[in-house]
Amino acid sequence: GGGALGHGMAAFPRGQAMFQKVARQRVVAAAAAAAAEPVRRTRDAARNAATKTTQIAQKHKEHTVRLTRRVFTGREDTRVRDYVKMPRVIRKMDKYSFTLGVLGISTTQYVMLEHAAMFRYYYCLTMCPLLALRIFLYHRYKWQYFLIDFCYFVNILGFLVVLSPLANYPEAWQTLFVTSTGPVMSAIVAWRNSLVFHSLDKVTSVYIHLFPALLAWCERWHGCAAAQEGLGPFFGMWAMWPLLYYLLWQALYLLKTEVLDKALLDQDSSIKTSFRWIVIDTRSSLHVMAKALCCKMGILGTHEAFELASFKTKLVFISIQLVYTMICFIPCYFCHGNKYLNSGAVMFIFAMAVWNGANYYIEVFSKSYDLKYKDSHSELLSPAVAAAAG
């Protein structure tokens, strides 16, 4: 009996210790829960606030969409993207584009002739919205890789020499003059850019290739002292900076298309690039001339075609573009030294853009003209036919 009592007395402290341990754990748990309660409340409040913010943002977005649709289409249930595809809307937009295109050319002429020193600011105000709209549209059509062509690189240089300290360096202006007056402006002929006033896309293409040359013309003959400094002797170093600028663009272009985005371009054949456009369009003058030259030099066989994935094809077009660019540099030296020659070159390229536009209008609307003339001819003949029949 004594042993059992002793055993019970020994077990009592152990039970008491266990009870105290459990009590301490409960106290700690309660304290932890009390401490976590503000955190939980804060987290719940943040989650509720985020949910309410999302709901408000969604309602605001829906309201904005409805308002935008009502403003542009007159109805809340008609999407803008569907509205602009309607024939009557397309015709109205073409009318606006035509009007703005004609007014834009008139305004450009006025600024160049009356305020040539201010053309740099007109250039920025004109090109900014056109380039922004082109970036938006070309991404929708999967044409975004056209936006890294050399002509856009030269437009970037135009912004830089106007808005940055580069305006104080003659080399920057000379680089702009040679690259814009040479290969970029000549691309209007090579790519058959056309001044079609009712097409905002075509007008923008002409502006992108012509406006840097107009900026260079205004600055060369009516601008700052740095822009009016001469190029030096013909066999001097005047072409070095333009060539380095071109090679910088070519290196960045190849890095983008052949390294960084190569997998994307290989997977999606619907994405358009200048290289793909020239290689695929076998009827283009650039493709025909490149193939004829390669066949004559033995680079390609008579019945061999260019292949997009071929290293030889890429090397051929890179080389041809480099040679084309350097050849276009040569007339720029003489244009830079003679205002009348420079003006004549600009007017000739502008006339080519107008001529291409005229061809476009006549070719596109030729059937309409034929029908109109046939109807008029029928109306004139019908009285005579009726009299003869009577």
Side-chain angles (χ1 to χ4, degrees):
L5 180 61
H7 179 72
M9 293 297 292
F12 178 75
R14 289 198 300 268
Q16 187 178 11
M18 185 178 296
F19 174 77
Q20 292 176 350
K21 181 179 180 181
V22 172
R24 285 195 301 269
Q25 290 176 349
R26 290 179 177 177
V27 171
V28 171
E37 182 64 19
V39 177
R40 186 186 63 80
R41 291 179 180 177
T42 303
R43 185 172 61 249
D44 292 342
R47 186 183 297 111
N48 294 334
T51 302
K52 291 181 180 179
T53 302
T54 303
Q55 292 174 350
I56 293 174
Q58 183 64 27
K59 291 181 179 178
H60 178 72
K61 180 180 178 180
E62 293 175 356
H63 174 73
T64 303
V65 170
R66 290 196 300 269
L67 179 62
T68 303
R69 289 178 176 179
R70 188 165 61 250
V71 170
F72 286 97
T73 70
R75 300 181 59 180
E76 295 183 357
D77 58 344
T78 302
R79 297 188 304 176
V80 177
R81 70 184 68 179
D82 297 331
Y83 180 76
V84 297
K85 295 178 182 179
M86 298 179 181
R88 62 183 179 85
V89 177
I90 294 175
R91 287 194 294 268
K92 184 180 294 186
M93 293 176 63
D94 288 346
K95 293 176 184 178
Y96 289 144
S97 298
F98 188 96
T99 303
L100 292 176
V102 174
L103 292 177
I105 293 297
S106 303
T107 306
T108 301
Q109 181 182 9
Y110 170 76
V111 175
M112 288 185 65
L113 296 180
E114 297 295 331
H115 305 281
M118 303 296 291
F119 188 85
R120 55 170 63 188
Y121 306 112
Y122 175 73
Y123 168 83
C124 294
L125 291 175
T126 302
M127 295 307 298
C128 278
L130 289 178
L131 290 173
L133 183 60
R134 169 148 290 194
I135 291 172
F136 170 74
L137 293 176
Y138 272 32
H139 273 83
R140 288 186 58 188
Y141 301 146
K142 291 188 176 182
W143 293 355
Q144 62 267 31
Y145 285 89
F146 284 114
L147 301 173
I148 58 175
D149 285 347
F150 187 57
C151 55
Y152 295 93
F153 211 59
V154 172
N155 275 275
I156 292 175
L157 179 61
F159 284 106
L160 290 176
V161 295
V162 170
L163 303 175
S164 75
L166 285 177
N168 300 320
Y169 294 90
E171 294 82 3
W173 287 109
Q174 293 168 6
T175 300
L176 176 66
F177 186 95
V178 174
T179 54
S180 62
T181 308
V184 172
M185 189 171 70
S186 301
I188 291 178
V189 179
W191 287 93
R192 295 185 59 83
N193 291 153
S194 52
L195 195 59
V196 179
F197 288 116
H198 79 272
S199 172
L200 181 60
D201 181 66
K202 292 183 181 296
V203 171
T204 302
S205 294
V206 173
Y207 274 45
I208 287 172
H209 290 94
L210 187 62
F211 255 55
L214 299 183
L215 172 63
W217 184 92
C218 290
E219 292 295 334
R220 172 67 182 92
W221 306 111
H222 305 281
C224 60
Q228 297 186 34
E229 187 169 323
L231 293 179
F234 179 75
F235 293 101
M237 301 297 292
W238 61 272
M240 181 186 69
W241 287 109
L243 181 59
L244 289 177
Y245 191 71
Y246 172 83
L247 293 177
L248 172 63
W249 163 79
Q250 185 68 87
L252 294 176
Y253 185 91
L254 293 175
L255 176 64
K256 178 69 173 174
T257 58
E258 298 299 322
V259 180
L260 299 178
D261 294 352
K262 179 175 173 53
L264 174 63
L265 291 171
D266 290 341
Q267 293 173 2
D268 192 349
S269 59
S270 64
I271 298 178
K272 301 298 183 183
T273 67
S274 296
F275 172 72
R276 287 181 173 180
W277 191 282
I278 296 174
V279 172
I280 294 175
D281 188 5
T282 57
R283 295 182 299 176
S284 69
S285 57
L286 295 175
H287 182 103
V288 173
M289 289 188 295
K291 186 174 181 180
L293 180 63
C294 290
C295 291
K296 188 174 183 179
M297 297 177 62
I299 300 175
L300 288 179
T302 306
H303 302 289
E304 187 178 0
F306 291 119
E307 297 180 3
L308 285 173
S310 171
F311 175 78
K312 181 171 66 173
T313 300
K314 296 176 182 179
L315 183 61
V316 163
F317 280 97
I318 291 173
S319 302
I320 289 177
Q321 190 168 9
L322 175 61
V323 173
Y324 160 80
T325 300
M326 296 181 66
I327 291 175
C328 291
F329 282 175
I330 297 175
C332 297
Y333 178 84
F334 303 101
C335 290
H336 194 274
N338 188 296
K339 181 179 180 180
Y340 297 103
L341 188 60
N342 188 192
S343 302
V346 172
M347 292 176 63
F348 172 76
I349 297 297
F350 179 75
M352 291 301 300
V354 175
W355 174 256
N356 292 337
N359 286 329
Y360 177 86
Y361 277 116
I362 298 302
E363 294 296 331
V364 169
F365 299 111
S366 59
K367 294 182 179 180
S368 299
Y369 284 131
D370 290 342
L371 291 174
K372 182 179 68 173
Y373 295 146
K374 288 179 180 179
D375 292 341
S376 299
H377 185 64
S378 300
E379 291 177 359
L380 291 174
L381 289 180
S382 57
V385 172

